[in-house]
Amino acid sequence: MRSKLLVENWKNFIKESQEELTDSEYFEGQYDIGLVPMSAKPFHEGHMSLIRKASDECKQVIVYVSTSDRKRKGEITILGEDMFYIWENILQKYLPQNVKCEYG
């Protein structure tokens, strides 16, 4: 893991923004499947809000997460492999039960 600071920041963020929902709230949605595509580099509350909204409105949600690097002139590069690690080891644990991630 090359970006230890990123990992620590996301761990702190997710603890602060975590909301508990009851089981009945997970499946009240009117749609069968929702798809949320995102790069999420860096991941922030807006991304989590999109996922929660889809979770509320759909029985099942697939979050398609880009694992490509984000390289912008004058900004810190965010590596796809680091974000994959963060999603797999931190963020996925805090997603609603009806949300699954696909990476690519």
Side-chain angles (χ1 to χ4, degrees), residues 19-35:
E19 292 181 12
E20 292 294 322
L21 299 174
T22 65
D23 287 340
S24 64
E25 291 176 306
Y26 283 116
F27 299 106
E28 291 179 356
Q30 60 185 4
Y31 302 105
D32 289 332
I33 299 175
L35 175 63

Side-chain angles (χ1 to χ4, degrees), residues 41-58:
K41 295 177 191 91
F43 183 84
H44 53 73
E45 182 58 39
H47 295 117
M48 185 59 94
S49 293
L50 286 172
I51 293 169
R52 286 185 185 128
K53 178 77 171 160
S55 174
D56 290 344
E57 294 182 5
C58 303

Side-chain angles (χ1 to χ4, degrees), residues 33-96:
I33 299 175
L35 175 63
V36 181
M38 64 176 58
S39 177
K41 295 177 191 91
F43 183 84
H44 53 73
E45 182 58 39
H47 295 117
M48 185 59 94
S49 293
L50 286 172
I51 293 169
R52 286 185 185 128
K53 178 77 171 160
S55 174
D56 290 344
E57 294 182 5
C58 303
K59 293 177 185 173
Q60 179 184 359
V61 176
I62 301 168
V63 178
Y64 184 80
V65 181
S66 168
T67 56
S68 63
D69 296 343
R70 188 198 78 172
K71 297 179 183 180
R72 295 182 183 167
K73 188 175 182 176
E75 294 184 10
I76 296 172
T77 297
I78 299 177
L79 301 175
E81 67 185 72
D82 290 347
M83 286 307 303
F84 178 74
Y85 178 87
I86 290 167
W87 275 94
E88 283 264 297
N89 295 287
I90 302 169
L91 298 175
Q92 265 188 260
K93 296 174 187 176
Y94 298 97
L95 297 177

